[in-house]
Amino acid sequence: MNSSSYDRVMELDGCAVRVVDAPRVASVRERMPAERDLADTAEVFGLLSDPGRLRLLVALLDGELCVCDLAAVSGMSESAASHALRLLRAHRVVSVRRSGRMAYYRLADAHVRMLLDLAVAHIEHTQVVEEAVHPEREP
């Protein structure tokens, strides 16, 4: 690729006009959450990015479970499950109910359930699309 064609590609990648729709940009900026709220949201998504923690959360879609049962369902040790649940509780993704020495965990609220339901539905949808587009690939 010669220098002039590279320069043309670079021009196309950038914005020739810095703000195309100023009122819309202003509207979006007004609705943008505060930096701290964005950071908190990013932390929650980071917590959900771990397959072990996600397995625990999906198990809780069926309702409250004790740490022992969550460890068995997720294939984690009780110690690892307990640690993961502590992290999730610190970020208000799960809540805990204690009964004697037992700790029973559940999803913190309907928003967490909705987030998980949507994520699982999205993956199921994309798998169906992927299989339709590429039937030769194994699931």
Side-chain angles (χ1 to χ4, degrees):
M1 178 184 283
N2 65 35
S3 175
S4 63
S5 64
Y6 178 76
D7 291 340
R8 281 195 300 267
V9 170
M10 291 303 293
E11 289 173 16
L12 293 175
D13 286 345
C15 289
V17 178
R18 287 293 171 217
V19 177
V20 175
D21 188 345
R24 188 164 184 199
V25 169
S27 173
V28 170
R29 281 189 154 175
E30 287 175 20
R31 289 184 292 110
M32 189 66 62
E35 282 302 312
R36 183 67 201 148
D37 293 339
L38 289 171
D40 289 345
T41 302
E43 283 183 29
V44 168
F45 277 109
L47 288 169
L48 299 179
S49 70
D50 176 76
R53 288 190 294 260
L54 192 53
R55 205 173 295 115
L56 292 170
L57 294 171
V58 170
L60 292 173
L61 284 170
D62 286 341
E64 186 177 81
L65 287 168
C66 71
V67 175
C68 311
D69 291 342
L70 284 165
V73 165
S74 66
M76 301 169 88
S77 69
E78 285 184 33
S79 175
S82 185
H83 176 72
L85 290 161
R86 260 193 310 278
L87 279 172
L88 293 166
R89 189 169 59 112
H91 286 84
R92 298 177 313 276
V93 176
V94 299
S95 57
V96 65
R97 175 181 64 85
R98 299 198 185 278
S99 178
R101 295 186 58 154
M102 299 293 290
Y104 294 89
Y105 285 86
R106 63 187 169 279
L107 298 177
D109 59 35
H111 298 110
V112 174
R113 172 176 291 285
M114 189 183 329
L115 182 62
L116 290 169
D117 284 340
L118 286 171
V120 170
H122 174 70
I123 293 306
E124 290 170 353
H125 170 76
T126 56
Q127 286 174 344
V128 169
V129 170
E130 183 69 20
E131 289 167 6
V133 173
H134 301 285
E136 70 282 359
R137 293 185 185 169
E138 290 186 32

